[in-house]
Amino acid sequence: MGSAGLSRLHGLFAVYKPPGLKWKHLRDTVELQLLKGLNAGKPPAPKQRVRFLLGPMEGSEEKELTLTATSVPSLVNHPLVCGPAFTHLKVGMGHRLDVQASGVLVLGVGHGCRLLTDMYNAHLTKDYTVRGLLGKATDDFCEDGRVVEKTTYDHVTREKLDRILAMIQGSHQKALVMYSNLDLKTQEAYEMAVRGLIRPMNKSPMLITGIRCLHFAPPEFLLEVQCMHETQKELRKLVHEIGLELKTTAVCSQVRRTRDGFFTLDSALLRTQWDLHNIQDAIRAAAPQVAAELEKSLGPQLDTKELPSREWSWESQGPSSTLGLERGAGH
C-alpha cells in the first residue's frame, strides 16, 4: 500500500469529534491509523544479491570444498530488519474544538496543511447548535460548573428570546462591516454584500452573522449560531449573557459544530471510519469543492498551484517530500 497510498494523501478532510475527546488525542489517533494503513501493505520482493557459498565439490570423492556463486535475497530493507517504512506523518489541524464541544473538525495532510492556512485567511463562517438551560449560573458557563446563582424563569417567552437574538445579530452585523474596512457606498462593497463575501480583513472578536432559536421548551432552549473568529468558551458566555438580557440566568449544556466552512456533518468521518481508505476517499471527494470555495473566497490572493485540481488525477501523483512524511530506516 506504501507508495500508492501515499500519493492519495494530499488534501483536506473532516472528522466528527465526540465530546470528551481532546483534539490532540484525535489528531494522534488519525495519524496512527494512517501510518498503520500505509505500513500494512505487502512489502516488495527483496532484491537478489550474489554470494559465494562454501560447499562440497560435485563429483569429488575426496569431499573437497569449493566456492559456488549463489543468488540469495537481500534482507537489508526488510521490515523486520529496518522497521516500518513510514514512521511519521504530519497531520494539520483546522479550527479547533475544546474538550467539551463536539462536531465537525477539519484536518489536512500533505498539501492540505497549507490549505488550512488558506481556510483561515478566507475567514469562512461556521455553524453551531448551542443548547442552553435557564434558571442557574455557573463559574464557567457550563452546566456541570460550580453553581453561583439560581433564578426563576417563568417570565421568559419565545418572543422575548427572539427579540434579544435579533438585537445581537444586528449589533454584530454592524461590527462585521466595521472590521471589513469597506466603504459601503462603493460598487465593490455592494457586489461583495450581494455574494455574501463581506469578511473582516484581519483578526477580530467573535462576529455573529446569524442567530435564531430552533427549539424553546423552558428551561431548555436550542440556538443555531453562524459565526466566525469564535471560541467555544465565547459561545457558552453568549448563552450566559442572553440569560442576563432575559432578566434571569442561563448555562450552556452543549456546543456542537455542524459546519466549518464548506465541510458539514454529512462529510465528517465517524470514529469507526478513521482509517486510510476512508480518509483517502474523503480527501478525493472534497478536493473539487475545496478548490472552488477557496478560489471564490480568496480570489487573486490565492496561490492556485497549491490547490487540488477539480479534475484531480490521483494516479498521476507520486510520493512527494512535501507531504510531511518520513520513511524510517533502522528506527
Side-chain angles (χ1 to χ4, degrees), residues 13 30 57 66 186 215 228 248 261 296 317:
F13 65 99
V30 169
M57 181 182 297
T66 184
T186 63
H215 179 69
M228 61 182 74
T248 183
K296 172 185 173 183
Q317 301 295 318

Side-chain angles (χ1 to χ4, degrees), residues 295 298-303:
E295 189 174 354
L298 294 178
Q301 307 173 34
L302 186 65
D303 183 2

